[in-house]
Amino acid sequence: MQFFGGSEISPSPPVPTASGNNAHMMYIFNRNGVCLLYREWNRPLRTLDSNQDHKLMFGLLFSLKSLTAKMDPSSTEKGNLGVPQLPGQGCSFHSFRTNTYKLSFMESPSGIKIILVTHPKASDLRESLKYIYNLYVEYVVKNPLYTPGTPIRSVENLIDFNFHYTIGPEASYSTQLLTNMCEVSDDLAQVSLLQHLVYNG
Amino acid sequence: MAPAVPRSGDAIFANVERVNAELFTLTYGAIVRQLLTDLEEVEEVNKQLDQMGYNIGIRLIDEFLAKSNVTRCVDFRETAEVIAKVGFKMFLGVTASVTNWDTEGTCCSLILDDNPLVDFVELPDTCQGLYYCNILSGVVRGALEMVSMKTKVTWVRDMLRGDDAFELQVKLLKQVPEEYPYKDDE
């Protein structure tokens, strides 16, 4: 009953036209469930408004983490399902894949969760997630004007977040990104700087 | 894909950008001096230094985790070892040793071999109650709070006050696991 045959019935997404990862969406949450950053590059279908979407995503991951830790056959702990876990304790899941997307997840012991939704054929993205975490540290944590625990607002921080996914063949995404950034900042000088940085590395 | 191996403190210290030690020492000295002028009360200055250290610590922890690739520590003993061997080395360039464990394993002392903050410093008679390096206790407290450990960090021995070493006591009060932050009615 579950198997309806291959791709004739369930539509699969278009194969990526260029090399490199095609990220659809990215979320960054902190340990209290606050969505620090949400970026989308390719999301044709939106079913919920953004607040509910963030809550859904956070809740999904919270529950999945809890489940995977409790189902761990190699663990010796006998905790009950639902007992709060320390971040990073027990086994941690890192991705799940459906026929239309792959969701990769990374959580640091300080509770920062990074989620990347990509094309299902994407390879293991743990290195990319670590890279994003490093960028988060460099440009957000070290920014003295940023209050920890609040959504990331500053435009400059976005530049590097998207470098990895917008350099070279992904130029269409970078244009979309620049348009997004224009909505945030009206400063033309800033936009041209961004353009320069994105296209020239 | 194999998980990344945690890097030793020396290796990371060699790779991060460093700043001139004298600049660092003199800048910190200027901060303490200014606090003393502004606040006048030595206890207030101690509290303010601790608060500043706390604000640094809550950000420092992410940088530490990103650069050092350590995984979650299994217990407080491992945590203390990691702070002493990797953390202090990475950020201050000094190693610390962990001693004086109590029977339950919740309280230990970190003894610093060397302390770059106190080069050239002597406490005058008017500042006898001052914990000059209190910022470090705030940093440790802030960083540990972000990994779900509530701790109390105090200076036990301070060379500026006449003791023979810098000894920081770290006491684990409790572990605070993550809770689901949203209320269920939504």
Side-chain angles (χ1 to χ4, degrees), chain B residues 40-96:
Chain B
E40 288 169 27
E41 283 283 310
V42 161
E43 265 318 302
E44 278 302 312
V45 174
N46 284 339
K47 263 201 287 189
Q48 191 68 2
L49 281 174
D50 187 72
Q51 184 59 33
M52 284 166 63
Y54 177 81
N55 291 335
I56 293 176
I58 60 179
R59 295 172 189 251
L60 198 91
I61 182 69
D62 276 317
E63 184 179 357
F64 175 72
L65 292 170
K67 295 224 162 82
S68 67
N69 284 333
V70 294
T71 50
R72 177 101 207 158
C73 294
V74 172
D75 57 8
F76 189 60
R77 279 181 186 265
E78 199 184 331
T79 308
E81 283 295 328
V82 166
I83 295 176
K85 298 282 172 282
V86 187
F88 270 101
K89 183 75 196 169
M90 190 168 142
F91 290 108
L92 283 181
V94 300
T95 44

Side-chain angles (χ1 to χ4, degrees), chain A residues 81-135:
Chain A
L81 190 61
V83 168
Q85 286 261 318
L86 302 173
Q89 194 180 46
C91 70
S92 57
F93 94 96
H94 32 85
S95 63
F96 69 75
R97 188 182 353 216
T98 71
N99 57 326
T100 47
Y101 67 92
K102 175 174 182 175
L103 184 144
S104 309
F105 170 71
M106 183 188 98
E107 185 183 19
S108 77
S110 57
I112 302 295
K113 304 174 193 5
I114 305 182
I115 294 122
L116 213 49
V117 177
T118 57
H119 189 274
K121 292 215 168 39
S123 57
D124 190 12
L125 286 176
R126 275 184 279 180
E127 283 303 312
S128 308
L129 290 170
K130 266 214 78 62
Y131 178 71
I132 295 177
Y133 185 50
N134 279 327
L135 290 177

Side-chain angles (χ1 to χ4, degrees), chain A residues 3-173:
Chain A
F3 309 104
F4 285 112
S7 38
E8 310 91 54
I9 298 183
S10 47
S12 47
V15 179
T17 51
S19 60
N21 293 313
N22 276 335
H24 297 329
M25 288 129 60
M26 177 171 82
Y27 297 76
I28 299 184
F29 288 100
N30 77 349
R31 57 198 316 195
N32 297 325
V34 176
C35 182
L36 302 178
L37 186 70
Y38 167 66
R39 279 292 166 263
E40 61 181 52
W41 294 284
N42 178 20
R43 189 177 188 176
L45 176 66
R46 263 181 218 92
T47 48
L48 301 166
D49 81 288
S50 57
N51 251 346
Q52 290 180 312
D53 184 55
H54 298 331
K55 277 198 195 153
L56 178 69
M57 183 59 78
F58 186 81
L60 164 74
L61 290 162
F62 193 87
S63 313
L64 263 177
K65 257 188 341 170
S66 189
L67 252 178
T68 50
K70 290 302 175 286
M71 278 178 56
D72 186 0
S74 62
S75 148
T76 48
E77 261 185 31
K78 302 249 182 278
N80 298 317
L81 190 61
V83 168
Q85 286 261 318
L86 302 173
Q89 194 180 46
C91 70
S92 57
F93 94 96
H94 32 85
S95 63
F96 69 75
R97 188 182 353 216
T98 71
N99 57 326
T100 47
Y101 67 92
K102 175 174 182 175
L103 184 144
S104 309
F105 170 71
M106 183 188 98
E107 185 183 19
S108 77
S110 57
I112 302 295
K113 304 174 193 5
I114 305 182
I115 294 122
L116 213 49
V117 177
T118 57
H119 189 274
K121 292 215 168 39
S123 57
D124 190 12
L125 286 176
R126 275 184 279 180
E127 283 303 312
S128 308
L129 290 170
K130 266 214 78 62
Y131 178 71
I132 295 177
Y133 185 50
N134 279 327
L135 290 177
Y136 167 77
V137 163
E138 281 304 312
Y139 292 97
V140 177
V141 169
K142 287 188 178 175
N143 181 357
L145 302 177
Y146 167 72
T147 321
T150 57
I152 298 167
R153 286 257 163 265
S154 167
V155 173
E156 291 87 326
N157 297 333
L158 303 178
I159 299 174
D160 288 89
F161 274 118
N162 298 283
F163 257 24
H164 197 67
Y165 301 101
T166 60
I167 291 174
E170 320 289 320
S172 59
Y173 289 144

